[in-house]
Amino acid sequence: MKTHIITIFASIILLWQTAYGQTNNSHELVLKFLEVIETNAYARRTIKLDSARIALLNDTKNVSEIGELKPYFKTFLKKLKDQHSSISYIEADEEDEDELDFLEKYAHITYEEAGYPPLRFKSDLLEGRFAYINIPAVALEYRKYIETIGSQLQQLDAMNPEAWIFDVTENDGGSIIPMLWQMSTLIDKDSVYSFVDRHGKEEKQTKMMWKTNGDKFEERLFELFKLNDESLRPVKLVHTNVPIILLTSRKTASSGEFFVAAFKGQKNVTVVGQQTNGLTSGNTEYPLGKSYLLNLTTDVLKDRNDKRYGIGEGIVPDILFTFDADLQQRKITDETVKAKYLDAALRFLKAQD
């Protein structure tokens, strides 16, 4: 399973592995950076790499501190124009760190400890008929996220809902694993979408997020987040053939868009809202030494209807609506804005009656 874990907190380094060595030499880091770009970048052909390579090496030849390389790396990545690649830096301990030390810290830190507000979980049975669940972005506390969404699904399923409404208007990314974990019985296909690299090679993605591909690091990730527990298997729902509404906004991005793609095209699914942000590309993480993590766009999304998304192309909803200028300026969590989305969903569902 190619998970494409995309963290929304760049300062928290997840995939800090030794696969690319523990070099602390600035020149070697620049060479490694260029090698990864040339070998893996989806937008590799958008730049003249030979001249860009010479320019970067020349610009950084007098840089001795590796922390000073970040602005040069960021400038180079902007030339790819893939809108999704990024570079993260933390000042590493001079002593060798076990690759799993970072992963353990990541797996056990809470949103409160990281200095971020808690996730906005919300569910309700609207008008006594329609099950509503907000699907927030997620970067930490995977198990709590999975358990919370599972509990909400079970509680609402017991109320005999006539439809499901999943709200991803606030979801700007994170990890797709917890987002889709509990959705298995609501998705009608095992393969939900694909990633396509620049050579046209396609890799299908399964809805079974609770299964690893045998990768040692991924298995360690599941172990530390305590995701291997049998009690954490996806909930089984009764009301699976009712209409499903996905609410999207311009903020819906990255893994939030992959969540939409997993459903869009299914017969009982309707996407309502605005065109999504356009980060419909898959990123792969490449550690550079002990202090850098290159989050590089390596693939683009191909949905279940065989639509291959271009760089920067968002998902167009089945029912598109726009706000007036005043509401466009408000936060997506504004109650008035939320009401507009919910009204659109409810109008559609009632029209089906």
Side-chain angles (χ1 to χ4, degrees):
M1 177 175 65
K2 190 172 185 179
T3 56
H4 282 288
I5 300 171
I6 307 165
T7 55
I8 56 177
F9 304 131
S11 62
I12 302 172
I13 304 304
L14 171 59
L15 298 179
W16 212 263
Q17 304 177 67
T18 57
Y20 290 90
Q22 297 292 348
T23 178
N24 288 314
N25 181 280
S26 296
H27 180 68
E28 290 180 12
L29 277 172
V30 173
L31 290 176
K32 178 55 64 178
F33 172 85
L34 289 166
E35 177 188 341
V36 173
I37 297 291
E38 182 172 8
T39 305
N40 303 285
Y42 183 84
R44 154 71 179 83
R45 290 184 174 84
T46 63
I47 61 174
K48 296 179 180 178
L49 193 60
D50 289 340
S51 58
R53 171 192 289 271
I54 293 172
L56 180 61
L57 288 170
N58 185 62
D59 290 342
T60 59
K61 64 182 180 181
N62 294 322
V63 176
S64 57
E65 298 294 329
I66 60 172
E68 297 175 3
L69 290 173
K70 185 177 180 180
Y72 296 99
F73 288 158
K74 290 182 66 175
T75 300
F76 192 97
L77 290 175
K78 287 181 180 179
K79 296 177 181 178
L80 293 174
K81 298 180 180 179
D82 60 31
Q83 303 181 32
H84 210 176
S85 295
S86 62
I87 189 82
S88 301
Y89 171 81
I90 61 169
E91 188 172 348
D93 194 326
E94 288 302 317
E95 298 181 5
D96 288 338
E97 294 263 10
D98 187 296
E99 62 187 75
L100 296 180
D101 286 348
F102 291 96
L103 187 55
E104 288 213 35
K105 294 173 185 176
Y106 179 87
H108 296 116
I109 193 172
T110 66
Y111 282 100
E112 182 180 3
E113 291 167 342
Y116 293 95
L119 297 188
R120 211 169 78 92
F121 291 109
K122 186 177 181 180
S123 63
D124 196 7
L125 190 67
L126 303 178
E127 299 187 359
R129 301 172 60 190
F130 309 119
Y132 168 87
I133 298 180
N134 185 54
I135 307 293
V138 54
L140 301 171
E141 301 181 31
Y142 285 12
R143 185 180 178 109
K144 179 180 178 181
Y145 187 103
I146 292 168
E147 291 175 335
T148 301
I149 297 295
S151 176
Q152 291 175 333
L153 285 166
Q154 284 184 311
Q155 290 175 12
L156 288 169
D157 191 53
M159 299 178 185
N160 301 314
E162 298 176 25
W164 294 97
I165 301 173
F166 295 122
D167 185 351
V168 289
T169 57
E170 304 168 35
N171 192 323
D172 58 359
S175 173
I176 192 63
I177 295 175
M179 290 182 204
L180 282 180
W181 188 287
Q182 298 285 15
M183 300 295 159
S184 180
T185 57
L186 293 170
I187 299 175
D188 63 358
K189 290 185 176 182
D190 287 340
S191 295
V192 288
Y193 51 78
S194 303
F195 286 107
V196 183
D197 68 15
R198 76 168 189 258
H199 303 294
K201 182 181 177 182
E202 182 176 345
E203 186 172 346
K204 293 185 179 297
Q205 301 301 289
T206 176
K207 68 178 181 180
M208 294 174 281
M209 292 293 164
W210 62 95
K211 292 186 177 181
T212 66
N213 61 0
D215 178 78
K216 178 182 177 182
F217 193 79
E218 190 175 79
E219 289 182 352
R220 182 61 171 154
L221 172 73
F222 272 51
E223 179 186 345
L224 289 171
F225 274 93
K226 298 182 179 179
L227 304 183
N228 292 322
D229 192 336
E230 288 293 327
S231 66
L232 208 61
R233 291 295 178 265
V235 296
K236 294 181 180 180
L237 306 175
V238 175
H239 300 85
T240 59
N241 293 320
V242 299
I244 297 174
I245 304 296
L246 301 178
L247 295 179
T248 62
S249 74
R250 289 295 298 165
K251 186 176 181 179
T252 307
S254 195
S255 291
E257 290 173 292
F258 298 142
F259 182 92
V260 176
F263 284 93
K264 185 174 170 59
Q266 188 168 305
K267 288 184 179 180
N268 64 330
V269 170
T270 305
V271 182
V272 178
Q274 295 178 300
Q275 184 168 338
T276 62
N277 187 277
L279 296 183
T280 49
S281 50
N283 283 18
T284 304
E285 290 77 14
Y286 298 94
L288 305 177
K290 291 199 299 182
S291 295
Y292 282 101
L293 184 73
L294 173 59
N295 192 26
L296 183 67
T297 296
T298 53
D299 320 83
V300 291
L301 172 69
K302 181 179 178 181
D303 67 20
R304 62 165 67 201
N305 293 324
D306 291 329
K307 174 176 173 52
R308 181 170 168 174
Y309 287 79
I311 293 296
E313 182 179 3
I315 298 174
V316 178
D318 302 305
I319 298 179
L320 177 67
F321 69 92
T322 57
F323 294 133
D324 57 40
D326 175 58
L327 289 181
Q328 288 279 18
Q329 302 303 316
R330 299 191 189 183
K331 292 183 178 181
I332 199 66
T333 53
D334 185 293
E335 291 303 318
T336 304
V337 175
K338 279 292 185 185
K340 290 289 184 182
Y341 282 103
L342 291 176
D343 285 346
L346 295 176
R347 283 198 306 271
F348 172 80
L349 289 171
K350 291 174 182 178
Q352 306 312 302
D353 289 342

